[in-house]
Amino acid sequence: MAAAEEEVLGLLVGAVDQGTTSTRFLVFNSKTAELVSHHQIEITQEFPREGWVEQNPKEILLSVYECIEKTCEKLELLNIDRANVKAIGVANQRETTVVWDKITGEPLYNAVVWLDLRTQSTVENLNKRIPRNNNFVKSKTGLPVSTYFSAVKVRWLLDNVKKVQKAVEEDRALFGTIDSWLIWNLTGGTKGGVHCTDVTNASRTMLFNIHSLEWDKELCEFFEIPMKILPNVRSSSEIYGLMKVGALEGVPISGCLGDQSAALVGQMCFQDGQAKNTYGTGCFLLCNTGHKCVFSDHGLLTTVAYKLGRDKPVCYALEGSVAIAGALVSWLKNNLGIINRSHEIEELAKEVGTSYGCYFVPAFSGLYAPYWEPSARGIICGLTQFTNKCHIAYAALEAVCFQTREIWDAMNQDCGIPLNHLQVDGRMTDNKILMQLQADILCIPIIKSSMPEATALGAAMAAGAAEGVGIWNLELDSLSAFTMERFEPQINAEESEIRYSTWKKAVMKSMGWVTTESSESGDSSIFGSLHLGFFIVSSMVMLIGARYISGIP
């Protein structure tokens, strides 16, 4: 790049943002953190049985290749040389599990996605083996034994997939979360690909000791997972290897963070007590607790926030995880058909401005924090003959906010110091009704940055700041220069409490709907087997009539 152009643009840093529903590649200006160009591709989710969620690892990988190529083409249309991209970071959906053959490079099974529920009976059996007075799993990992995390998914693959069993026996199998699968392929795959992960992703497997920052032999023996299949653990900001394929061949991959840690970095939450909430497929509230692990007494997770360099100290976070947020809007679109595009939910909700006593608990994958209750399933309460699709749309947005309130309350209790505002990011934050509802339900201001791509930005920052790259200063003043949109509470605290307490009653009614057997086998009881969409639609038809669902007067 010409010196004058470099002075204006700054050096560029790319970021792979591989999420549950889409893959994106984004390029940022390292001087101002502004987005220069990007490309996005939707990703297919497969549901082979009730409660099972899978994705094709090869589709994910191909989507990354295509996003990189298309973004580079767009750069050239802007008269920007792709050679200006000096580093690449990776942010990924966490916990999603891939096992592949290191000789052929082929996945040995579909990726088992983080919100998959097939391992419920495995979890219950494992919990019975943990001494009541010595929960060594939680003390070492900061996590409850749950279907959410990678170890039980690997255990299921080892128990049920012969190709995986054979590959492990023959020393051909490699395990990784999505970051490991991508980095291995991008750095050469079967021809010398780097098998690694970073501390944030490793901390979500239930096999990693968050104190020693190493794979833990006792945990691996407990889950009966061979350590030889595990990736090498690195910091979140260092050169892992060079791109060996595509338009950016030779560019170092030098940043890696699980998506929620990446958003924490992208939101510049580097101080103790700073918190952010990301509204994506799920909803994830993280609070930086600095260099000490804070263990929750209220259903939250203790996790590694980031380690921004091999010689840098590790930082930890408390996390509240909600499985269903944006996925609820997708469900209303794809399963019920009451909207054609996701943004239409805001228009529907705006028509009524209230749920009119309708409450939605979207426990499609059970309830995560603070309950950790896999037997829960989604319900809609408070239906009357007056209820129509607008009220249901409004109730769906409220559900996202009520779930955030639950983990916000737990966060305040564990931290001991009430948080006085909440920084937010994610695609759902474009919905102004959702943001106002969140301020009303939390009774605090909601702060939204003009830079919505916090996850990708965080991965790019880690990549650009890595030793040997050194083109990004994480203390740069311009990173805090984005304009902020502020949503102040508009209802009184008493009204907020009444609505929240009613929501809590609905949550209690959602629990205990499925048995272990129905979750594990795909067979079902009278409640557990019914597809959730069919159950709710049938109930609504009986209660309020099809004309109210469609909104026809």
Side-chain angles (χ1 to χ4, degrees):
M1 145 168 64
E5 184 181 352
E6 180 175 328
E7 181 66 26
V8 173
L9 262 182
L11 297 174
L12 305 181
V13 182
V16 174
D17 182 2
Q18 204 300 298
T20 312
T21 58
S22 71
T23 295
R24 299 185 298 165
F25 186 71
L26 306 92
V27 174
F28 295 92
N29 177 345
S30 65
K31 283 187 73 172
T32 63
E34 291 175 322
L35 179 63
V36 178
S37 185
H38 77 285
H39 190 76
Q40 177 172 336
I41 295 175
E42 299 298 313
I43 297 297
T44 305
Q45 293 186 64
E46 301 176 20
F47 307 94
R49 293 188 186 182
E50 185 71 25
W52 292 28
V53 189
E54 298 178 0
Q55 291 177 321
N56 185 334
K58 294 180 75 174
E59 179 188 352
I60 291 173
L61 178 62
L62 290 173
S63 72
V64 171
Y65 290 152
E66 184 173 349
C67 285
I68 291 173
E69 297 298 317
K70 294 292 185 182
T71 302
C72 288
E73 291 174 10
K74 291 178 180 179
L75 287 176
E76 293 183 350
L77 289 175
L78 296 170
N79 295 318
I80 300 172
D81 191 340
R82 67 183 66 178
N84 299 339
V85 179
K86 300 300 183 182
I88 296 170
V90 175
N92 59 285
Q93 53 171 309
R94 303 170 302 170
E95 300 94 17
T96 296
T97 297
V98 186
V99 178
W100 68 94
D101 189 318
K102 66 183 178 183
I103 306 300
T104 66
E106 292 294 311
L108 296 168
Y109 191 80
N110 271 347
V112 182
V113 178
W114 56 274
L115 45 67
D116 185 281
L117 283 175
R118 74 188 66 190
T119 56
Q120 184 176 338
S121 70
T122 302
V123 166
E124 292 179 4
N125 290 333
L126 287 167
N127 275 320
K128 292 175 183 176
R129 293 169 47 196
I130 298 175
R132 291 186 179 182
N133 61 348
N134 180 24
N135 190 338
F136 66 96
V137 175
K138 187 172 183 179
S139 66
K140 290 186 174 191
T141 67
L143 312 173
V145 179
S146 165
T147 59
Y148 185 13
F149 306 109
S150 305
V152 292
K153 303 179 194 300
V154 179
R155 184 66 259 153
W156 186 91
L157 290 168
L158 288 167
D159 289 339
N160 292 278
V161 182
K162 290 183 179 180
K163 289 173 66 176
V164 172
Q165 297 166 359
K166 186 175 181 182
V168 170
E169 291 169 1
E170 297 176 357
D171 197 23
R172 293 185 289 108
L174 297 177
F175 151 74
T177 43
I178 294 297
D179 59 307
S180 298
W181 166 245
L182 295 179
I183 293 173
W184 185 80
N185 280 285
L186 294 172
T187 58
T190 57
K191 299 178 180 179
V194 178
H195 186 214
C196 69
T197 188
D198 91 301
V199 290
T200 67
N201 283 294
S203 74
R204 310 297 291 193
T205 63
M206 280 198 302
L207 301 171
F208 186 73
N209 189 314
I210 62 174
H211 308 285
S212 66
L213 302 183
E214 295 176 336
W215 297 121
D216 190 280
K217 183 178 179 182
E218 183 183 18
L219 292 171
C220 289
E221 289 175 349
F222 177 70
F223 290 104
E224 299 180 87
I225 293 173
M227 297 185 76
K228 65 182 180 181
I229 71 173
L230 303 178
N232 293 319
V233 183
R234 309 274 193 90
S235 75
S236 307
S237 179
E238 62 179 88
I239 295 176
Y240 310 108
L242 303 181
M243 287 282 291
K244 295 292 179 64
V245 293
L248 297 178
E249 185 174 354
V251 176
I253 299 174
S254 52
C256 179
L257 292 151
D259 51 9
Q260 302 312 318
S261 287
L264 194 73
V265 171
Q267 287 269 27
M268 299 291 287
C269 293
F270 293 137
Q271 302 299 319
D272 292 19
Q274 289 185 313
K276 70 86 198 174
N277 198 31
T278 300
Y279 299 77
T281 299
C283 206
F284 303 90
L285 175 58
L286 271 70
C287 179
N288 190 330
T289 63
H291 304 312
K292 60 183 179 181
C293 289
V294 175
F295 284 87
S296 174
D297 294 321
H298 302 92
L300 302 181
L301 310 175
T302 303
T303 196
V304 176
Y306 51 80
K307 186 178 188 294
L308 295 175
R310 284 178 292 184
D311 299 323
K312 300 287 187 178
V314 64
C315 285
Y316 297 94
L318 275 173
E319 175 176 338
S321 308
V322 170
I324 303 296
L328 176 54
V329 179
S330 298
W331 185 83
L332 292 175
K333 175 171 67 77
N334 299 327
N335 291 42
L336 289 194
I338 69 173
I339 53 176
N340 294 316
R341 296 183 179 181
S342 295
H343 67 83
E344 293 174 8
I345 191 170
E346 184 174 10
E347 299 167 16
L348 283 183
K350 190 175 181 179
E351 285 186 34
V352 288
T354 177
S355 67
Y356 203 77
C358 177
Y359 288 84
F360 201 148
V361 182
F364 298 171
S365 297
L367 291 169
Y368 282 15
Y371 302 101
W372 300 105
E373 181 50 70
S375 71
R377 286 297 179 271
I379 61 170
I380 302 178
C381 297
L383 297 171
T384 71
Q385 286 186 314
F386 182 73
T387 309
N388 64 29
K389 66 179 181 180
C390 297
H391 300 111
I392 292 169
Y394 197 96
L397 296 182
E398 278 192 318
V400 175
C401 299
F402 285 132
Q403 290 179 105
T404 299
R405 168 69 186 271
E406 289 188 305
I407 55 179
W408 179 262
D409 285 352
M411 193 78 70
N412 280 330
Q413 291 173 3
D414 283 324
C415 290
I417 302 173
L419 306 173
N420 57 19
H421 71 275
L422 180 62
Q423 295 173 227
V424 299
D425 61 86
R427 279 181 285 177
M428 288 190 80
T429 61
D430 289 337
N431 187 320
K432 292 185 182 297
I433 290 181
L434 177 70
M435 294 294 94
Q436 186 57 56
L437 277 171
Q438 191 67 86
D440 291 344
I441 290 167
L442 291 181
C443 300
I444 58 169
I446 300 299
I447 311 297
K448 178 192 171 187
S449 170
S450 59
M451 165 51 72
E453 308 294 352
T455 299
L457 177 59
M461 289 164 61
E467 183 180 354
V469 178
I471 63 173
W472 208 314
N473 181 354
L474 297 187
E475 304 299 323
L476 201 63
D477 290 339
S478 61
L479 290 182
S480 59
F482 296 118
T483 58
M484 301 291 178
E485 187 173 6
R486 189 178 179 98
F487 296 85
E488 297 283 352
Q490 293 183 353
I491 65 173
N492 61 49
E494 184 179 358
E495 181 183 345
S496 177
E497 286 300 321
I498 291 171
R499 287 158 62 178
Y500 181 50
S501 64
T502 307
W503 153 265
K504 298 282 277 187
K505 287 169 59 179
V507 169
M508 293 300 106
K509 295 180 185 297
S510 75
M511 295 186 184
W513 281 73
V514 292
T515 62
T516 299
E517 290 75 17
S518 66
S519 175
E520 185 85 4
S521 68
D523 298 330
S524 51
S525 66
I526 188 167
F527 293 115
S529 68
L530 290 172
H531 188 281
L532 182 60
F534 173 79
F535 177 80
I536 293 179
V537 172
S538 299
S539 301
M540 289 165 62
V541 168
M542 288 186 288
L543 288 169
I544 63 177
R547 67 194 186 95
Y548 289 101
I549 299 174
S550 65
I552 300 172

